[in-house]
């Protein structure tokens, strides 16, 4: 079976000559559809760079990046924007909601860029908010919501685009441990019930424990990979 | 998709009302200035045309001394006399001839007084200078010949002496002469130079000469021509007669001038349009500055909203979509400024027209032009900031604090 996401001998370096920094130093990685992967590692280990490449926000300096078997390493900015729009959903540590914009409008955003007319996108956005348990809060501004609720809106926004993969970059980093576990239970449920592949970066062992597979980065290389547990 | 973008832009503008207002202020002022200048200019042109009509187009004014324009001393030349006026009225081209002399004097009624222009002339003055009587009557021939102490008041003088009351039949004092009011002029309004034409007391010319000025000068003679006579022919006939009467040899210059009021009016109109053009171009420069203001704020806005742009890129906006959003935002802002500016400009022009007592003459093409121009400003000055937003790298943009 073709992996959903595949990195082959991927390197990513910044700067030139003496000052060159290798963030990724030849990484091979395959993630199959339906997996829940946690990526850990110290700062500067290359985990964020790997996430950016998987999230089509960045390009490898060399090596191949395959998504659903198609090579994407050579795509230009706008082509990568189309991949993000159609297959990927993002959840960030800092929530990254548009300020002074209601929850519903935030969730609508990816649908607007997909060109879906208001009549069809409103029910999609509403049901995404309902899935994360925020029905009745559609008209609230981010400022009127708690951190946990803001992160739920962000997850609903990622869900609205009907993605194959949700990329979560320290999704619980700005939350207290209680809210953090609630968010993790939500992501776990989405992975289990909706079959959405989740790739998550985290610093915390107990958060990583929600995943089915743990990958550890050190100095631009994968130093530990628990491998896929039997698919549920 | 474009409608969607306009809605997004409108939302972004509403989200930050104060900044949006400050952004469009420059365009508002620029557009308002252009609209106000052009509209007031058109109005005053219309007013000049109306003045020409109120003078009567076929009116010539004779003055002693050579033709000069504007201020400055006139050279010494023999004054006209009432005999000259009589001779002119015998010309076949003349319909009405009004020899005129003016002097400043204080008029008094009871405890009220007013400094005004006392004009001495004949009953033909009304026809030659296009005055209407609101009340009372013109001078009789006997009053003219005998220099009787009678007068006709303009509305301004009437107002300061009698308020709303009826002056006809009352006795007022002009300098030291007691004088009966026999008539009241209808209001004429401001003249071509903004002077108050209604500030006038008209008396028979002999009364002014003998009892007030104490000399026999006639300052000017106004001749209104018959309808069928052209200004050229009237001027020629009058010049021939006057050269004859003043014994000016062949080859010598006239020592008097004949001014065609229609010429003065057309000169005023062209001065007016040059001034309007000049002021409008100054206003147009302020419109340009307004455009630069929009660019300035849009650039700041792009920096300030870097994170927002990052979010939009992450959820799948293409660079063209981000570019369009910021460009549309700039255009919506500048068009908004244009519309407010048009409203403010028309309001100012209306107020100014009322104040200057000229017609309010808004022009559709000026409004349309101002609208299109403000939209163009949005495109031109919005493009650079929009391109900067579209070129942002999503990773850097998301990391931006």
């Amino acid at each position: 079976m073709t992996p959903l996401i595949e990195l082959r001998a991927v390197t990513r370096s910044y700067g030139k000559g003496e000052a060159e920094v290798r963030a990724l130093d030849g990484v091979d990685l395959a993630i199959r559809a339906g997996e829940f992967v946690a990526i850990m590692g110290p700062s500067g280990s290359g985990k964020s760079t790997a996430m950016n490449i998987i999230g089509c926000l960045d390009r490898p300096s060399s090596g191949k990046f395959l998504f659903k078997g198609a090579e994407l390493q050579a795509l230009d900015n706008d082509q990568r924007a189309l991949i993000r729009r159609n297959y990927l959903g993002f959840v960030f540590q800092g929530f990254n909601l548009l300020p002074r914009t209601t929850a519903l409008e935030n969730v609508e955003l990816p649908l607007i860029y997909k060109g879906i007319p208001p009549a069809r996108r409103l029910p999609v956005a509403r049901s995404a908010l309902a899935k994360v348990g925020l029905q009745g809060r559609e008209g609230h501004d981010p400022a009127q919501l708690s951190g946990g609720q803001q992160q739920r809106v962000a997850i609903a926004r990622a869900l609205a685009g009907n993605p194959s993969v949700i990329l979560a970059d320290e999704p619980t980093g700005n939350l207290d441990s209680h809210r953090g576990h609630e968010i993790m239970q939500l992501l776990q449920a989405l992975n289990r019930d909706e079959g959405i592949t989740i790739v998550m970066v985290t610093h915390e062992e107990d958060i990583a424990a929600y995943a089915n597979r743990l990958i550890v980065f050190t100095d631009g290389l994968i130093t530990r990979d628990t491998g896929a547990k039997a698919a549920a | 998709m474009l409608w969607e973008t306009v809605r997004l832009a409108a939302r972004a503008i509403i989200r930050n009302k104060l900044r949006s207002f400050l952004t469009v202020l420059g365009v508002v002022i620029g557009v308002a200035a252009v609209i106000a200048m052009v509209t007031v200019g058109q109005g005053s042109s219309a007013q000049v045309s109306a003045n020409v009509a109120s003078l009567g187009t076929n009116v010539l004014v004779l003055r002693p001394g050579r033709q000069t324009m504007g201020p400055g001393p006139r050279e010494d030349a023999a004054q006209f006399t009432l005999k000259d006026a009589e001779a002119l009225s015998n010309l076949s081209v003349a319909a009405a001839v009004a020899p005129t002399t003016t002097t400043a004097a204080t008029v008094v009624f009871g405890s009220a007084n007013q400094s005004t222009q006392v004009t001495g002339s004949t009953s033909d003055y009304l026809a030659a200078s296009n005055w209407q009587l609101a009340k009372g009557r013109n001078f009789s021939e006997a009053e003219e010949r005998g220099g009787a102490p009678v007068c006709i008041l303009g509305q301004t003088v009437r107002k300061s002496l009698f308020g709303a009351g009826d002056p006809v039949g009352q006795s007022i004092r002009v300098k030291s002469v007691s004088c009966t009011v026999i008539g009241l002029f209808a209001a004429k309004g401001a003249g071509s130079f903004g002077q108050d034409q209604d500030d006038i007391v008209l008396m028979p010319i002999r009364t002014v000469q003998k009892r007030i000025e104490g000399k026999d000068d006639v300052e000017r003679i106004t001749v209104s021509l018959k309808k069928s006579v052209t200004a050229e022919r009237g001027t020629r006939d009058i010049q021939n007669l006057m050269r004859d009467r003043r014994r000016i040899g062949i080859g010598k210059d006239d020592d008097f001038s004949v001014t065609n009021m229609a010429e003065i009016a057309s000169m005023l109109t062209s001065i007016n349009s040059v001034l309007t053009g000049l002021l409008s171009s100054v206003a147009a420069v302020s419109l340009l500055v307004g455009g630069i203001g929009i660019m300035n704020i849009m650039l700041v806005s792009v920096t300030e909203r870097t994170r927002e742009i990052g979010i939009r890129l992450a959820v799948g906006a293409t660079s063209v979509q981000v570019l369009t959003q910021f460009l549309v935002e700039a255009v919506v802002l500048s068009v908004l400024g244009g519309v407010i500016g048009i409203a403010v400009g028309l309001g100012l022009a209306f107020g100014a027209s009322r104040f200057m007592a000229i017609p309010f003459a808004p022009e559709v093409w000026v409004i349309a032009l101002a609208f299109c121009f403000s939209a163009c400003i949005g495109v031109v000055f919005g493009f650079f900031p929009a391109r900067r937003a579209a070129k942002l790298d999503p990773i850097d943009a998301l990391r931006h604090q």
Side-chain angles (χ1 to χ4, degrees):
Chain A
M1 192 176 122
T2 322
L4 180 65
I5 295 161
E6 198 176 355
L7 303 183
R8 286 187 200 157
V10 164
T11 69
R12 180 70 174 98
S13 36
Y14 302 99
K16 287 242 164 76
E18 290 287 301
E20 186 178 317
V21 177
R22 283 214 150 185
L24 291 180
D25 198 6
V27 169
D28 294 293
L29 172 65
I31 296 170
R32 286 184 291 121
E35 283 194 82
F36 187 164
V37 181
I39 297 178
M40 296 188 77
S43 314
S45 63
K47 59 185 194 307
S48 291
T49 309
M51 276 292 271
N52 287 339
I53 289 174
I54 295 170
C56 284
L57 292 167
D58 198 3
R59 279 191 290 196
S61 302
S62 71
K64 287 183 174 177
F65 167 53
L66 291 87
F67 186 79
K68 296 194 173 196
E71 293 192 18
L72 301 188
Q73 67 271 10
L75 295 187
D76 68 22
N77 288 345
D78 283 347
Q79 288 167 321
R80 280 188 277 123
L82 294 181
I83 299 284
R84 292 198 293 270
R85 179 190 294 179
N86 290 316
Y87 302 105
L88 306 179
F90 289 87
V91 177
F92 303 95
Q93 177 179 2
F95 319 137
N96 277 347
L97 299 176
L98 294 187
R100 277 165 287 178
T101 305
T102 65
L104 190 65
E105 286 168 343
N106 265 293
V107 176
E108 271 185 279
L109 200 59
L111 301 170
I112 291 175
Y113 288 119
K114 273 189 171 182
I116 296 170
R120 282 206 285 131
R121 71 174 183 242
L122 276 173
V124 176
R126 281 179 198 284
S127 83
L129 276 173
K131 252 182 221 170
V132 299
L134 285 181
Q135 57 268 71
R137 311 263 174 175
E138 286 87 352
H140 286 55
D141 274 7
Q144 297 170 304
L145 297 169
S146 71
Q149 288 170 326
Q150 288 187 52
Q151 194 61 299
R152 284 167 189 271
V153 175
I155 292 171
R157 181 178 65 193
L159 279 177
N162 190 27
S164 311
V165 185
I166 287 182
L167 295 154
D169 190 358
E170 300 201 39
T172 61
N174 283 13
L175 300 175
D176 63 45
S177 117
H178 179 64
R179 307 279 170 222
H181 285 287
E182 279 180 4
I183 290 294
M184 289 319 298
Q185 281 154 14
L186 178 61
L187 287 175
Q188 200 172 37
L190 290 172
N191 172 252
R192 190 181 57 229
D193 303 336
E194 314 261 333
I196 298 171
T197 310
I198 295 177
V199 181
M200 172 183 72
V201 167
T202 183
H203 281 298
E204 296 159 74
E205 297 277 355
D206 57 335
I207 295 299
Y210 283 92
N212 302 323
R213 177 182 175 186
L214 176 68
I215 295 171
V216 177
F217 275 79
T218 314
D219 294 333
L221 287 169
I222 293 174
T223 49
R224 186 178 161 213
D225 185 349
T226 62
K229 290 178 191 164
Chain B
M1 188 63 215
L2 189 67
W3 176 235
E4 218 40 93
T5 319
V6 172
R7 277 187 49 198
L8 276 178
R11 229 178 268 171
I13 289 166
I14 293 165
R15 242 191 275 150
N16 214 328
K17 291 187 191 72
L18 181 64
R19 186 178 61 194
S20 305
F21 171 72
L22 291 176
T23 309
V24 300
L25 197 57
V27 174
V28 170
I29 291 171
V31 170
V34 171
I35 294 272
M37 291 302 167
V38 175
T39 306
V40 170
Q42 298 281 353
S44 60
S45 291
Q47 176 65 30
V48 170
S49 310
N51 283 345
V52 177
S54 90
L55 290 169
T57 39
N58 242 1
V59 172
L60 302 177
V61 177
L62 282 77
R63 285 188 176 84
R66 213 153 336 140
Q67 176 99 34
T68 54
M69 279 287 184
R74 288 171 175 281
E75 56 189 285
D76 273 345
Q79 297 290 321
F80 294 134
T81 63
L82 289 175
K83 291 234 159 63
D84 291 325
E86 236 164 77
L88 285 166
S89 61
N90 289 332
L91 280 175
S92 62
V93 294
V97 175
T100 306
T101 186
T102 47
T103 183
T106 306
V107 293
V108 183
F109 176 73
S111 59
N113 66 81
Q114 160 94 348
S115 292
T116 184
Q117 286 291 320
V118 174
T119 302
S121 192
T122 64
S123 56
D124 267 3
Y125 185 78
L126 277 74
S129 297
N130 217 14
W131 279 102
Q132 309 289 330
L133 280 171
K135 235 179 184 170
R137 60 176 177 85
N138 203 341
F139 307 131
S140 71
E141 213 170 303
E143 282 165 343
E144 256 171 48
R145 198 158 302 153
V150 291
C151 60
I152 304 173
L153 302 187
Q155 291 288 351
T156 305
V157 178
R158 176 261 188 121
K159 216 169 286 168
S160 46
L161 295 192
F162 296 94
D166 183 1
V168 177
Q170 302 284 353
S171 184
I172 64 170
R173 202 153 49 76
V174 179
K175 258 190 181 166
S176 55
V177 182
S178 175
C179 162
T180 311
V181 180
I182 59 165
L184 177 66
F185 286 127
K188 216 170 180 187
S192 309
F193 299 100
Q195 78 276 28
D196 181 5
Q197 299 185 100
D198 295 318
D199 190 7
I200 183 177
V201 173
L202 185 70
M203 300 173 84
I205 187 161
R206 282 196 176 83
T207 317
V208 175
Q209 287 174 334
K210 302 235 152 56
R211 303 200 185 193
I212 295 173
E213 281 193 311
K215 49 186 180 180
D216 283 345
D217 292 349
V218 172
E219 280 172 14
R220 61 179 195 276
I221 302 175
T222 306
V223 180
S224 115
L225 299 174
K226 284 184 178 146
K227 281 228 164 68
S228 55
V229 178
T230 63
E232 286 73 32
R233 198 183 133 210
T235 308
R236 204 183 52 229
D237 284 8
I238 288 168
Q239 275 171 336
N240 287 342
L241 176 73
M242 292 308 290
R243 283 178 74 91
D244 212 35
R245 288 184 63 83
R246 293 164 83 91
R247 296 175 215 291
I248 299 166
I250 292 165
K252 290 246 177 78
D253 287 337
D254 293 351
D255 66 350
F256 62 94
S257 70
V258 181
T259 315
N260 182 349
M261 294 312 283
E263 261 170 34
I264 290 184
S266 84
M267 188 186 72
L268 282 178
T269 310
S270 65
I271 290 175
N272 197 13
S273 66
V274 167
L275 272 181
T276 304
L278 196 71
L279 290 173
S280 304
S281 31
V282 172
V285 170
S286 75
L287 194 50
L288 189 75
V289 174
I292 294 170
I294 284 204
M295 177 159 75
N296 213 335
I297 305 277
M298 288 302 291
L299 277 173
V300 172
S301 162
V302 166
T303 311
E304 199 180 274
R305 288 156 71 190
T306 301
R307 204 179 174 80
E308 174 195 328
I309 295 163
I311 297 168
R312 292 180 185 277
L313 289 169
V315 302
T318 60
S319 54
V320 174
Q321 284 170 325
V322 172
L323 181 101
T324 316
Q325 186 197 332
F326 277 83
L327 201 54
V328 166
E329 221 169 277
V331 172
V332 169
L333 275 174
S334 63
V335 165
L336 192 71
V339 170
I340 298 173
I342 287 169
V344 172
L346 288 177
L348 283 176
F350 183 75
S353 305
R354 273 293 173 84
F355 183 69
M356 298 193 286
I358 59 173
F360 175 58
E363 292 267 359
V364 174
W365 69 266
V366 179
I367 294 166
L369 197 71
F371 184 82
C372 296
F373 194 72
S374 58
C376 289
I377 276 182
V379 174
V380 170
F381 293 103
F383 184 76
F384 177 60
R387 206 187 49 165
R388 188 178 253 206
K391 280 190 165 175
L392 283 175
D393 178 72
I395 300 170
D396 293 342
L398 281 171
R399 232 179 255 149
H400 187 91
Q401 287 309 310

